[in-house]
Amino acid sequence: MSATTNRFVLEPARRIPVVAEPDVLVVGGGPAGLAAACAAAREGASTLLIEAYGCLGGTLTLVTLGAFCGTHMIIDGEQLARTTGGLFLELEERLAAHGAILPPRRQGRILGVPYEPIALRSVADEMTAGYSVHLLLHTSAVDVVCDGRRVAAVIVENKGGRSAIVPRVVVDASGDGDVAARAGAAFELGDRGTTQYASAMFRMAGVDPEHVAQLTRPDIRAALDRAVADGYALPRVTVGVHLSPLHGVAHLNVTKLANDAGEPFLLVHPAQLTQAEQVGRRQVALYETVFRKYVPGFENARVVDAGLRVGVRETRLVRGDRVLTESDVRSCIKPPDRIACSAWPLETHGAGRATSWDFLPDGDWYGIPHGCLVVAGFDNLLVAGRNLSAEHAAQASARVAGSCIAMGEAAGVTATMSLAADGRVRTVALSDLAGRLRSHGALLEPSLN
């Protein structure tokens, strides 16, 4: 099929039915969107959450991550402190009731909380139902109608056709900043158009859990280096392996998806996204072969599950009132208007077979300013999640699950508080916002308890 660039089809004007008029519309049901919707509804706002796929959880369930990252930090080389509270604590409790979460596991200075992604789908349903969030799955935001500085309507499509949602406040938690981009907001694509590499995630069953539990990251890298020396064209040898709460199952974050020139795919481009999915499946098969042959404990393992979509680390970074900078992260700046805290390293999936980990000073952390969620030039539009307002290097730290959940909770509370001023999100008193977040257990600084 040849591409055409100079032909157009004129779409006739038509009347689009309004199907909902919620106080708060949240677009995208990933970790940030799930938290935003639950927080807004918990505060008393009528809340509608739309999600393009058939379940909530986004990267946590559709891609599968294997472990929550960025929810804890290490102090003095030994003590663990929480950096994410609030709704994440409820998520933990519900997963524990399903037997679907394990205690935090360290691999050197890297810390993750293993969980079972299938159970998380059900937990997300439980949480949204518990807070009376209205939900539309298999529903995509495809256009935006603006009235000056306000998002007046979001146009959606699903099996019922094309319709409009008229909210008072919108939280764009789409990951790719779809609503903000369609509204005309300013954004950057990574670092001057170059984003981090994506990965295809998968799980293997039949592993020897006792043996795998003893493997360190250097152990696995040494095994993969031997495979490369033997002629296997592995794009990545610095990998993440997480044992699942299910016996004999391991989650692998090991692939690195590149185009024919070795560059990262631009995953807001439909053709490149399609190619990335296909490259990902080929790499999953390659790594299955290599792990079975070279990594102890995987001799009898097979791939039993793979993400329904590629794992996207970075696309659009929407311009906000504030921009989280690389200097903010490296200098561990703690702004008074912060709505979340993080100690996750600058984790960069760039060129070459290795992953770059730039750790913060032991025991130190930084805060994410509220202005990173407020979209510049708009009165009633917020972002939350990996499409926050940040520099490329800073987003490499802030994009992980713990931070995204915290940003989502803050966005949901902000949206509800702004309803007193007709959804003008800048009218919210940040001291009052911090008080509300703290009252629900959210953390604005790490906690040892």
Side-chain angles (χ1 to χ4, degrees):
M1 182 180 68
S2 61
T4 59
T5 58
N6 57 355
R7 297 186 63 204
F8 298 90
V9 173
L10 185 64
E11 185 177 12
R14 53 177 163 166
R15 295 167 66 87
I16 300 175
V18 174
V19 295
E21 299 183 60
D23 290 330
V24 179
L25 171 64
V26 180
V27 177
L34 172 64
C38 289
R42 181 185 66 194
E43 296 291 315
S46 64
T47 305
L48 174 60
L49 171 60
I50 67 169
E51 165 57 42
Y53 288 81
C55 70
L56 300 175
T59 297
L60 299 176
T61 55
L62 294 162
V63 176
T64 79
L65 278 181
F68 297 108
C69 296
T71 59
H72 294 72
M73 65 181 292
I74 302 169
I75 299 176
D76 296 331
E78 292 186 5
Q79 281 190 304
L80 298 188
R82 286 187 177 273
T83 52
T84 309
L87 286 166
F88 178 68
L89 300 181
E90 179 177 347
L91 197 65
E92 277 190 325
E93 291 172 1
R94 290 182 179 273
L95 283 169
H98 286 261
I101 193 169
L102 295 175
R105 182 169 185 246
R106 288 184 59 176
Q107 292 184 322
R109 295 182 66 184
I110 302 169
L111 186 71
V113 181
Y115 71 95
E116 169 50 39
I118 300 300
L120 182 52
R121 298 180 189 181
S122 297
V123 164
D125 286 341
E126 293 169 7
M127 289 182 65
T128 50
Y131 288 108
S132 299
V133 173
H134 300 285
L135 181 63
L136 278 177
L137 299 175
H138 296 292
T139 300
S140 298
V142 297
D143 206 354
V144 175
V145 177
C146 292
D147 180 7
R149 292 173 55 92
R150 293 183 61 83
V151 172
V154 175
I155 309 302
V156 302
E157 288 188 351
N158 53 28
K159 290 295 185 182
R162 193 175 180 94
S163 57
I165 299 170
V166 178
R168 298 173 67 187
V169 188
V170 180
V171 179
D172 183 349
S174 64
D176 295 321
D178 289 335
V179 173
R182 285 167 171 76
F187 62 85
E188 301 290 338
L189 278 169
D191 181 13
R192 297 184 294 275
T194 299
T195 63
Q196 291 209 41
Y197 287 81
S199 291
M201 311 289 187
F202 60 99
R203 292 188 292 167
M204 298 183 74
V207 306
D208 179 343
E210 288 74 24
H211 202 149
V212 173
Q214 302 305 313
L215 294 175
T216 65
R217 284 181 178 245
D219 291 337
I220 299 173
R221 175 163 186 171
L224 299 186
D225 282 337
R226 289 195 297 272
V228 171
D230 288 345
Y232 286 94
L234 301 182
R236 180 177 165 198
V237 293
T238 304
V239 304
V241 176
H242 302 284
L243 282 172
S244 166
L246 302 180
H247 182 78
V249 175
H251 179 277
L252 288 83
N253 177 349
V254 301
T255 65
K256 178 177 284 187
L257 310 184
N259 61 22
D260 293 341
E263 301 163 337
F265 290 103
L266 184 58
L267 296 173
V268 291
H269 188 288
Q272 293 193 44
L273 179 57
T274 299
Q275 187 181 1
E277 296 281 8
Q278 295 172 317
V279 169
R281 283 188 279 275
R282 292 196 293 270
Q283 288 192 15
V284 168
L286 172 63
Y287 277 96
E288 178 187 44
T289 298
V290 167
F291 265 75
R292 283 166 54 85
K293 185 175 180 180
Y294 288 90
V295 183
F298 285 85
E299 294 87 352
N300 299 311
R302 296 301 301 267
V303 172
V304 293
D305 185 30
L308 297 178
R309 68 183 193 201
V310 296
V312 182
R313 294 186 171 88
E314 181 185 31
T315 53
R316 299 186 185 102
L317 305 176
V318 178
R319 181 67 55 81
D321 285 0
R322 290 279 300 276
V323 178
L324 183 69
T325 68
E326 179 178 1
S327 177
D328 292 336
V329 175
R330 293 187 183 277
S331 302
C332 295
I333 300 300
K334 304 167 181 63
D337 62 338
R338 64 186 182 274
I339 46 79
C341 63
S342 176
W344 192 253
L346 289 81
E347 177 194 348
T348 305
H349 295 254
R353 291 192 172 97
T355 301
S356 171
W357 299 86
D358 290 344
F359 291 93
L360 304 185
D362 189 313
D364 213 343
W365 54 277
Y366 68 92
I368 299 176
H370 181 261
C372 294
L373 310 184
V374 179
V375 179
F378 291 84
D379 291 338
N380 67 334
L381 179 58
L382 298 163
V383 291
R386 63 176 171 82
N387 51 203
L388 82 157
S389 177
E391 292 180 350
H392 167 75
Q395 192 261 7
S397 169
R399 62 174 172 77
V400 291
S403 302
C404 287
I405 292 169
M407 283 187 274
E409 186 165 3
V413 175
T414 297
T416 304
M417 292 178 68
S418 75
L419 296 174
D422 197 27
R424 295 192 298 276
V425 296
R426 292 176 183 81
T427 64
V428 171
L430 298 185
S431 58
D432 293 343
L433 171 63
R436 288 206 193 185
L437 289 171
R438 292 182 194 276
S439 72
H440 290 291
L443 296 177
L444 305 185
E445 57 278 315
S447 171
L448 287 170
N449 297 322

